[in-house]
Amino acid sequence: MVGLPARGKSFIAQKIVRYLSWLSIKAKCFNVGSYRRRAGSGHPNAEFFDFNNVQAFEIRQRAAEQAVTDMMKWYEEENGVVAIIDGTNTTRERRNWILKYCREHAIEPMFLESWSDDMDMILRNISDVKKSSPDYEGINPELATKDFLKRISKYEKVYQPLDHELDKNITYVKLINVAQEVIINRIQTYLESRVVFYVMNLHIRPRCIWLSRHGESVYNVEKKIGGDSWLSERGFRYSYKLPDLVKQSAGDADLTIWTSTLVRTQQTARELPYKQLHWKALDELDAGVCDGMTYEEIEEKYPGDFKARDENKYEYRYPGGESYRDVVIRLEPIIMELERQENILIVTHQAVLRCIYAYFMNVPQEESPWMSIPLHTLIKLEPKAYGTKVTRIRADVPAVSTYKEKGTSQVGESTQDGTKSRNILLNLPESSN
Ligand SMILES: Nc1ncnc2c1ncn2[C@@H]1O[C@H](COP(=O)(O)OP(=O)(O)OP(=O)(O)O)[C@@H](O)[C@H]1O
């Protein structure tokens, strides 16, 4: 990463790691600010970041070296694929040092610069995350803001942005005022282009995403999986309640509804007074030859498959059908479009919802297929600077549980509050410098 403080470097770095991890590409962020704190910077004020402060400069240099050393160890020992050095890396000298070190280890780095002169946005960023940074623990917020602006001015004195001419031989992407303008140079690999495409689609305007499973279906009541059945009577009751639940949570905000192409999601959404789009990519995980069967029937007819699925639910692919991994791959355009959009309500199916939820909440693959996402519950996701806040709103309409625990063909769960799901993920703010 490259850029002055409060330009969203950590935000972007963490999002890239979450996106790649969700796609099963091993990625990790190495945050130079946390190495600097571990190296004993304490609670530094702006003077610490003065480039003429020799002692402090040494601490910062050591922190960068430690981050780069750990990165290399991770590549070598843990087969890492994409590492991100989340630091300011504001001088060409520092970037050349990273470039040289990486090339000596046969790694071709890509630099990602976030550049902004939008002072309102920078002040908002400081207020969002910097005042609560460990650097300013116990310090009056106004003083913290003032000191942080001074810290930025120390960096500005030495800042050398990526340059069309001087940096023409390196791979980079430069985001100007979020993605108002994007400059790319020497993008050479498929993975690099995926990352560029992803960051081009990010925005930071406040918005919410709501998720709901379809209302209880006739197949849910009959304990069958797959199919294209109608809603049950209780499922229709949920569809009549949904507009009020949404209004309660979204107020007068405008939103767009996305459903799958299957009858049960469209019946669930039909009373909602918003624009609706139907996506094939939101259809339920295809159970192949098991479509329309109960888990008991599957256990009886395909005992080997039943066991194999319990053992590795993420990878298991139904004969003639799909695995969770397959669903994630087909959901990628949905995630990309979600990043671009503002308020969206998605009405979809259990497995698909687990995959979308896993992306926003950073749920690991071994856990995501086992998350409990009950029927007749509206989930609100609010993306924040360093994570996503979740609120669950239950409709007072009873429904069967379709949750199947490991090792049984019975559906239903011991806990009704869905404790197997993650309620909130908010990473501690770290600073890149
Ligand atoms: N491309 C962007 N440009 C400017 N701000 C952004 C961008 N992307 C995200 N943000 C905002 O930046 C804030 C988070 O700042 P972040 O901690 O990531 O900055 P940083 O550049 O890593 O700062 P530091 O160098 O002090 O660690 C959030 O409020 C987020 O909305």
Side-chain angles (χ1 to χ4, degrees), residues 1 17 87 121 125 134 171 184 204 212 215 239 243 281 294 306 319 333 338 377-378 413:
M1 304 301 297
V17 167
M121 180 169 71
N125 291 354
T171 297
I184 59 172
I204 56 171
S212 171
S239 77
T294 65
F306 187 79
L338 264 180
T377 306
L378 182 65
E413 52 191 314

Side-chain angles (χ1 to χ4, degrees), residues 2-13 31 33 36 86-88 113-116 121-122 124-130 135 148 151-152 155 175-179 199 202-205 384-386 429-433:
V2 176
L4 291 171
R7 263 53 177 191
K9 297 183 300 297
S10 301
F11 172 94
I12 299 166
N31 180 273
R36 184 250 302 152
D86 177 19
T88 44
E113 178 174 24
S114 176
W115 187 96
S116 175
M121 180 169 71
I122 293 161
R124 256 195 323 272
N125 291 354
I126 295 175
S127 157
D128 265 5
V129 290
K130 297 307 171 193
D135 284 351
F148 201 83
R151 183 193 295 196
I152 295 177
Y155 277 92
L175 301 175
I176 297 173
N177 289 327
V178 188
V199 296
L202 299 179
H203 73 75
I204 56 171
R205 297 181 296 279
K384 302 275 179 196
Y386 288 118
E430 297 270 25
S431 72
S432 326
N433 46 72

Side-chain angles (χ1 to χ4, degrees), residues 232-368:
S232 69
E233 184 271 327
R234 296 191 300 195
F236 277 114
R237 261 160 58 204
Y238 178 65
S239 77
Y240 288 115
K241 281 226 164 163
L242 197 50
D244 272 351
L245 286 194
V246 174
K247 179 96 185 158
Q248 206 182 307
S249 173
D252 292 329
D254 191 25
L255 47 102
T256 305
I257 314 288
W258 293 358
T259 74
S260 74
T261 62
L262 298 171
V263 172
R264 55 195 185 277
T265 61
Q266 294 182 25
Q267 285 182 338
T268 305
R270 70 180 188 179
E271 302 299 327
L272 291 163
Y274 310 99
K275 185 177 163 203
Q276 306 212 357
L277 292 174
H278 314 302
W279 294 75
K280 179 86 182 135
L282 288 174
D283 284 3
E284 182 54 311
L285 184 148
D286 182 351
V289 295
C290 297
D291 190 82
M293 294 169 78
T294 65
Y295 286 119
E296 280 166 322
E297 286 165 352
I298 299 171
E299 187 178 24
E300 201 183 305
K301 201 159 173 203
Y302 301 106
D305 280 84
F306 187 79
K307 200 157 167 273
R309 186 160 199 260
D310 264 5
E311 271 160 18
N312 190 349
K313 200 171 173 188
Y314 190 82
E315 300 290 351
Y316 172 83
R317 179 181 288 142
Y318 280 107
E322 290 179 302
S323 64
Y324 271 84
R325 178 185 293 281
D326 295 332
V327 174
V328 161
I329 305 288
R330 78 159 137 99
L331 281 175
E332 208 216 348
I334 296 275
I335 292 297
M336 206 60 88
E337 191 53 26
L338 264 180
E339 287 294 356
R340 299 171 49 79
Q341 292 289 334
E342 308 228 329
N343 297 320
I344 301 284
L345 162 56
I346 304 180
V347 183
T348 180
H349 308 264
Q350 178 163 255
V352 174
L353 222 137
R354 281 175 174 148
C355 295
I356 297 174
Y357 192 87
Y359 167 77
F360 283 101
M361 304 307 289
N362 213 8
V363 182
Q365 283 168 8
E366 58 283 6
E367 255 179 66
S368 62

